[in-house]
Amino acid sequence: MAENSDKTFYITTPIYYVNDIPHIGHTYTTIIADAISRFKKMDGYDVFFLTGTDEHGQKVEKSAAEKSMTPIELADKVVMRFKDLWKALNIDYDYFIRTTELLHEKGVQKIFKSLQRQGDIYKGDYQGHYCVSDEYYLPEDVPLEKDGSKICPDCGKKAIILKEESYFFRLSAYEKKLLDFYAENPEFVRPQSRMNEVVSFVKSGLRDLSITRTTVKWGIPVLEDTDHSVYVWFDALHNYVTGLGYDWNLGLFVRFWPADVHLIGKDILRFHAVFWPAFLMAAGFDLPKCVYGHGWWLKDETKMSKSKGNVLDPQVILNTFGSDSLRYFLLREIPIGLDGNFSHEGFIHRVNSDLANDLGNLVQRTMTMIQNYFGGTITEMDKAEKEDKKLAKEFKAVKTKIHQYYEDYSLNKALEEIWSYINTINKYLADNEPWKLAKNEENRGRLGRILYQAACALRVIGYFVYPVMPDSADKIWTFLGENKSPAGQCFSELQFDQFKPKQKTRKPEILFPRVDLKEFLKEEEKEKTMATINFNEFKKMDLRVAHILEAEKVEGTDKLLKLKVDLSTEQRQLVAGVAQEYAPEELVGKKIAIIVNLEPVVIRGVESQGMVLAAEVGGKAVFAFYPDDVPAGSKVV
Ligand SMILES: [Zn+2]
């Protein structure tokens, strides 16, 4: 809305590594960025919001090979998953940068060349303790083990000694300049505690940075020395300028650079707060205003990671709750600088209590009363009394606070403030009991006033929650008969009382259904088992054609048949729940498919050494029969 505004705002997420699949961590960073970006737009800024993927490096090369794919095929696939997830979560980014895009590669090569020419990049030999898993040489200050090796502080694996020809970035030359910059810009790293970490790291001495590899083929080649490819961070960090048009859309770049905030997980702080400003200083670019390191979501008190297998799949939560509940929970639960623990109980409590009860019920009740008592028209009647004016008065104070909190990226505090106002509205209705007033025609004027006040308050609530819950905010405004999204109104122009006379409202629908924890966990378990079988797991299943030799009913049951089958190498006994579909004599002599390598189970006292495959049609089992000339024991693939 503010494309002509002279106030601009540029926000980024890190680019996500395509060797990973999207999880709550990525989701969290991206939701924070989206909420801030939406707020800034409402506040009159012209905003550019960049996200994307980091696609080069050894790990991607390796994973792709393991999956018999090319690296770019793997990247394409994972990018699709990220984009689908961002769509489902209502992430409204302006550009999705991929480091394999030509515009990025060319930009990096150009910057590389120019730093090389001015002497900030030089060629040398590098030897060090190298962590293959994290693809970096360990810092010097990592202590030696007894056997002279080093253990990677990030992943705990033993590092190897590596020596290779490499280009170096003259990081050591920027030590003093960086320290001066931090001193002059104490807000550059947030939260403050993290700034202290960064300063002491730089004070401990900076060594030149190896920025190319000859051992990694999947990377951006160095111009005129193509045995070398640009190494992870020099490649990845430059996405923040190439994704903004550096070297392909100068107008865009000039308008938005430098970044107002790079949002990152605290684990990549050093790269963003030390290497990145040094690269930029060398290239002569202005420096970003802020690098914000947010905390991690822990599961069972440990960091979620693919290797630990405790990654939460946001898609499962989205399928059940929709995007706003997840956005709300992640932003409400903790301040963005701190760690949080994700628990299903905590999540469902928030959904049921804050969303379904406090907000959802308020909307539902108010809108239904307007429908029932005033035919859906918002009708301002009777003069406002002192207690009615209180809602409007409080709105002014609340608006100022919420603006401050959003501006400070204190999203959890903004939400707390909004919910405290929601409680005030709920209390206003509880105190005035409009549903009782409605029983007597004499009170109609008073009733109209109360519902009018409540509708005004709901309208501003819809506005306030928009950055965090855009879907619900749009719905609330639609119920209220506003034919626009809250996004279209400027924060500074928001008033308590902005309805047209006799505004027509719409019938509300339920915003947040209540959820039962047990039901949800069951659903999640089901989705997980369905979602996680991969080809390797499928390959583990031994499926064979079996020739039915005998069939009889299992005594004392209506549904079970006991089958004796031949697999050519052996005979097996199976129990199948098909007695209502097939008579035993129908089956003898037929050939069916069975899973051979299932653990045997005992059903009604009879052992079943395998399982028969059948189609389920209207609750009934239907076997697939093979023709006579298919030998028993043939593999089913
Ligand atoms: Zn490591």
Side-chain angles (χ1 to χ4, degrees):
M1 95 181 167
E3 265 148 46
N4 300 316
S5 172
D6 49 3
K7 299 195 291 183
T8 63
F9 188 80
Y10 176 34
I11 185 167
T12 66
T13 72
I15 45 175
Y16 303 120
Y17 202 36
V18 294
N19 196 36
D20 211 350
I21 53 168
H23 56 68
I24 290 280
H26 307 118
T27 302
Y28 182 48
T29 320
T30 313
I31 288 174
I32 296 173
D34 189 64
I36 293 175
S37 149
R38 285 175 191 269
F39 163 71
K40 283 290 177 181
K41 283 182 192 164
M42 291 167 114
D43 204 24
Y45 285 78
D46 183 8
V47 175
F48 197 86
F49 168 15
L50 182 76
T51 189
T53 39
D54 178 7
E55 307 187 3
H56 290 127
Q58 223 157 12
K59 282 200 249 182
V60 175
E61 212 172 14
K62 209 172 118 205
S63 302
E66 279 164 9
K67 296 183 170 76
S68 311
M69 295 166 107
T70 61
I72 194 70
E73 281 169 349
L74 174 67
D76 285 347
K77 226 177 113 181
V78 178
V79 165
M80 197 94 83
R81 288 190 67 162
F82 274 107
K83 285 188 172 173
D84 285 349
L85 181 61
W86 299 156
K87 200 167 164 201
L89 274 164
N90 254 314
I91 304 295
D92 188 17
Y93 54 78
D94 291 287
Y95 191 68
F96 190 105
I97 176 80
R98 301 182 54 179
T99 56
T100 48
E101 280 175 80
L102 196 60
L103 62 89
H104 172 76
E105 300 195 344
K106 284 187 141 171
V108 170
Q109 284 172 326
K110 189 171 171 183
I111 291 167
F112 191 104
K113 192 85 220 159
S114 103
L115 299 197
Q116 194 182 359
R117 236 181 258 133
Q118 73 193 41
D120 273 307
I121 288 177
Y122 64 91
K123 202 177 195 173
D125 266 323
Y126 189 75
Q127 173 172 314
H129 296 268
Y130 181 80
C131 174
V132 177
S133 177
D134 290 309
E135 299 185 35
Y136 83 128
Y137 287 95
L138 307 191
E140 288 295 291
D141 57 4
V142 173
L144 288 171
E145 300 295 307
K146 278 186 195 132
D147 62 356
S149 69
K150 283 190 178 186
I151 301 294
C152 172
D154 289 333
C155 69
K157 288 181 194 153
K158 194 172 181 171
I160 60 165
I161 300 279
L162 195 69
K163 181 177 175 174
E164 63 180 298
E165 189 186 75
S166 169
Y167 283 91
F168 285 82
F169 174 74
R170 215 177 282 284
L171 185 62
S172 56
Y174 289 88
E175 207 174 296
K176 170 95 177 38
K177 286 178 196 152
L178 284 168
L179 289 171
D180 290 347
F181 172 71
Y182 302 144
E184 282 158 27
N185 300 275
E187 292 271 282
F188 174 64
V189 174
R190 289 180 64 193
Q192 181 62 39
S193 57
R194 305 242 153 89
M195 177 56 122
N196 304 339
E197 278 169 41
V198 168
V199 170
S200 59
F201 173 74
V202 174
K203 276 190 176 158
S204 74
L206 294 177
R207 296 190 325 136
D208 290 350
L209 200 66
S210 159
I211 55 165
T212 65
R213 289 286 175 271
T214 52
T215 40
V216 181
K217 289 293 152 239
W218 181 237
I220 302 172
V222 172
L223 287 177
E224 292 151 32
D225 196 356
T226 51
D227 282 349
H228 288 262
S229 56
V230 178
Y231 169 66
V232 183
W233 286 104
F234 196 86
D235 168 0
L237 286 165
H238 283 102
N239 91 86
Y240 299 129
V241 292
T242 61
L244 186 65
Y246 168 72
D247 215 30
W248 58 276
N249 184 343
L250 195 63
L252 183 70
F253 184 68
V254 168
R255 180 158 174 75
F256 286 98
W257 189 259
D260 291 87
V261 57
H262 291 308
L263 268 177
I264 56 164
K266 60 182 180 179
D267 50 329
I268 51 176
L269 181 63
R270 185 176 297 173
F271 308 107
H272 283 79
V274 181
F275 299 174
W276 180 227
F279 294 162
L280 290 167
M281 283 174 178
F285 291 124
D286 288 337
L287 302 196
K289 291 175 197 152
C290 174
V291 172
Y292 204 123
H294 65 69
W296 284 330
W297 277 97
L298 312 174
K299 181 92 179 82
D300 310 320
E301 307 297 338
T302 54
K303 191 191 174 206
M304 286 183 228
S305 75
K306 207 167 88 171
S307 52
K308 286 186 191 130
N310 64 346
V311 172
L312 270 173
D313 185 350
Q315 197 65 55
V316 177
I317 295 172
L318 274 175
N319 292 347
T320 314
F321 297 94
S323 62
D324 278 0
S325 303
L326 184 58
R327 291 173 64 113
Y328 174 76
F329 176 77
L330 293 179
L331 299 182
R332 169 71 192 260
E333 198 71 2
I334 48 166
I336 62 177
L338 302 182
D339 289 345
N341 194 42
F342 194 100
S343 82
H344 287 90
E345 290 80 1
F347 175 64
I348 289 186
H349 175 74
R350 286 267 179 222
V351 171
N352 286 341
S353 146
D354 298 10
L355 298 182
N357 278 358
D358 296 349
L359 177 58
N361 265 346
L362 172 64
V363 171
Q364 189 74 19
R365 267 198 306 174
T366 311
M367 298 314 300
T368 306
M369 285 190 282
I370 294 171
Q371 287 286 327
N372 292 350
Y373 308 149
F374 292 94
T377 305
I378 298 174
T379 317
E380 188 178 7
M381 296 166 84
D382 275 19
K383 244 175 69 204
E385 291 173 18
K386 203 174 162 201
E387 56 178 323
D388 305 322
K389 287 181 185 154
K390 247 176 71 186
L391 273 185
K393 214 178 130 199
E394 202 170 311
F395 156 77
K396 282 191 189 140
V398 166
K399 181 185 162 186
T400 308
K401 278 197 215 162
I402 288 172
H403 186 272
Q404 253 166 26
Y405 287 141
Y406 271 136
E407 198 166 55
D408 190 45
Y409 314 144
S410 300
L411 305 176
N412 66 317
K413 286 205 179 132
L415 289 170
E416 260 169 46
E417 193 61 41
I418 296 168
W419 253 256
S420 137
Y421 192 54
I422 288 173
N423 289 337
T424 307
I425 308 165
N426 271 322
K427 184 164 184 305
Y428 172 75
L429 289 178
D431 290 348
N432 287 287
E433 300 182 308
W435 45 92
K436 280 194 185 159
L437 295 176
K439 288 177 185 155
N440 192 336
E441 190 57 32
E442 275 174 28
N443 300 325
R444 195 162 170 78
R446 179 79 196 122
L447 179 64
R449 166 54 61 187
I450 291 166
L451 292 180
Y452 182 80
Q453 297 299 110
C456 287
L458 270 190
R459 183 178 180 279
V460 299
I461 288 293
Y463 188 86
F464 290 147
V465 297
Y466 176 83
V468 176
M469 302 197 290
D471 256 358
S472 310
D474 279 346
K475 279 186 192 156
I476 293 170
W477 273 42
T478 303
F479 301 159
L480 286 166
E482 296 281 304
N483 293 317
K484 59 185 176 196
S485 162
Q489 173 156 23
C490 222
F491 210 103
S492 58
E493 284 155 21
L494 181 72
Q495 306 291 331
F496 184 72
D497 182 334
Q498 286 182 308
F499 287 121
K500 296 191 296 281
K502 308 261 173 220
Q503 181 150 312
K504 264 313 229 187
T505 64
R506 298 206 175 90
K507 265 212 176 88
E509 40 180 284
I510 290 175
L511 279 180
F512 308 100
R514 292 183 63 86
V515 180
D516 180 67
L517 177 63
K518 275 193 201 132
E519 285 298 313
F520 171 64
L521 290 178
K522 234 169 42 192
E523 200 54 37
E524 191 190 42
E525 202 45 50
K526 213 164 82 190
E527 291 224 21
K528 257 194 216 154
T529 26
M530 312 252 272
T532 53
I533 182 156
N534 62 30
F535 184 65
N536 281 333
E537 285 162 319
F538 173 73
K539 271 201 311 200
K540 287 184 203 154
M541 288 199 284
D542 190 3
L543 303 172
R544 302 272 171 175
V545 173
H547 188 191
I548 301 175
L549 303 174
E550 294 168 15
E552 61 180 274
K553 268 197 154 180
V554 174
E555 264 177 56
T557 73
D558 298 333
K559 291 187 179 163
L560 300 180
L561 287 185
K562 181 166 87 178
L563 308 177
K564 191 171 174 193
V565 300
D566 178 45
L567 293 165
S568 94
T569 50
E570 60 175 317
Q571 294 188 352
R572 293 271 182 114
Q573 172 177 292
L574 307 170
V575 176
V578 294
Q580 298 194 326
E581 290 87 348
Y582 297 100
E585 58 275 16
E586 271 182 86
L587 291 176
V588 175
K590 293 273 170 46
K591 284 173 177 167
I592 55 174
I594 71 166
I595 302 175
V596 177
N597 58 342
L598 269 191
E599 273 178 33
V601 288
V602 176
I603 305 170
R604 292 294 187 100
V606 183
E607 191 181 39
S608 184
Q609 307 152 325
M611 196 174 91
V612 184
L613 296 189
E616 196 185 307
V617 185
K620 295 203 175 291
V622 182
F623 283 155
F625 295 117
Y626 287 95
D628 285 343
D629 57 353
V630 177
S634 304
K635 242 179 128 46
V636 177
V637 290

